[in-house]
Amino acid sequence: MNERPTNLLFLSNMMEEKGVWTLLSACSLLRDRGCSFQCHFVGRWSDISETMFNSRTTNLRLHDHVMAHGPVYGSKRTAYFSRADVFVLPTYYHNECFPLVLIEAMQHGLACVSTYEGAIPEMIDDGRTGFLVERRNPSMLADKLQVLIEKPELCRRMGLNGNLKYKENYTIEQFEQTFIGILDSI
């Protein structure tokens, strides 16, 4: 087990469809299982207000494990990625395509846990750079997060694998090379 709590990071709009309530329910399960973690929610309040979030956090008795920070930009945003161990985006947003925040998390060497939504399964290699879970399934989400909390070396290895995938596929230089290749083939 970790000496310090594992830091989980959610960074997106505070919307139900982005999986905020799913993640809170998973956090409740993790607490009940005795896992050592803190979960940081960073993002603009949307269809979930700060009052609603704080009320749900209180009802679930998660005040020792969950913190909401509101919207954060620039270098402050980078600081949250730097302190995190795992990035979590349990989205079922109907317009989810290719969440750039997952690319940012991989750039920062974080294991990623997300859902089978949009292009996410092409971004996250399940079992290699993180885990994919079913939408709206707090139990499955808690199971995968518990694995990463209890196996910090696996968590670090997945983060390194994600960073390598970022460097091989998602840098500006790689984008330019791919784009040039497409133009050459035309």
Side-chain angles (χ1 to χ4, degrees):
M1 295 287 262
N2 279 333
E3 294 176 14
R4 67 165 177 81
T6 300
N7 281 314
L8 311 176
L9 175 63
F10 171 95
L11 196 154
S12 187
N13 289 319
M14 297 295 282
M15 296 172 56
E16 186 171 342
E17 286 185 311
K18 291 289 186 171
V20 171
W21 298 146
T22 303
L23 181 52
L24 272 183
S25 294
C27 286
S28 180
L29 293 169
L30 291 170
R31 184 215 46 232
D32 292 349
R33 296 174 186 179
C35 293
S36 177
F37 73 96
Q38 291 192 331
C39 188
H40 298 269
F41 286 80
V42 177
R44 183 182 61 82
W45 300 106
S46 185
D47 65 354
I48 295 175
S49 70
E50 186 172 8
T51 302
M52 291 166 64
F53 183 86
N54 289 337
S55 177
R56 180 84 55 108
T57 301
T58 299
N59 290 341
L60 292 171
R61 299 178 329 277
L62 287 171
H63 55 277
D64 290 336
H65 296 281
V66 171
M67 289 119 262
H69 304 279
V72 175
Y73 304 101
S75 62
K76 290 181 181 177
R77 182 177 166 114
T78 301
Y80 281 98
F81 280 113
S82 297
R83 289 189 300 264
D85 300 299
V86 179
F87 185 78
V88 190
L89 185 68
T91 183
Y92 54 95
Y93 181 58
H94 67 282
N95 283 333
E96 200 74 76
C97 293
F98 191 88
L100 294 178
V101 71
L102 288 172
I103 301 298
E104 288 181 87
M106 290 167 42
Q107 179 183 11
H108 286 90
L110 300 179
C112 295
V113 181
S114 194
T115 55
Y116 295 93
E117 191 68 48
I120 294 171
E122 284 75 41
M123 300 170 77
I124 297 175
D125 300 327
D126 190 37
R128 185 173 178 278
T129 64
F131 291 118
L132 294 168
V133 299
E134 297 169 359
R135 295 177 283 179
R136 300 182 192 198
N137 190 332
S139 179
M140 186 178 193
L141 179 59
D143 291 345
K144 296 302 183 182
L145 292 173
Q146 185 173 356
V147 168
L148 296 173
I149 291 167
E150 292 179 349
K151 298 181 179 181
E153 186 50 45
L154 173 65
C155 185
R156 279 189 289 280
R157 188 169 56 248
M158 285 183 167
L160 291 172
N161 289 341
N163 183 259
L164 182 61
K165 183 170 183 172
Y166 163 78
K167 289 175 181 174
E168 290 174 350
N169 297 287
Y170 300 122
T171 63
I172 293 294
E173 296 78 17
Q174 192 59 43
F175 171 79
E176 288 173 352
Q177 290 302 313
T178 302
F179 190 67
I180 289 169
I182 290 169
L183 292 176
D184 285 345
S185 69
I186 297 174

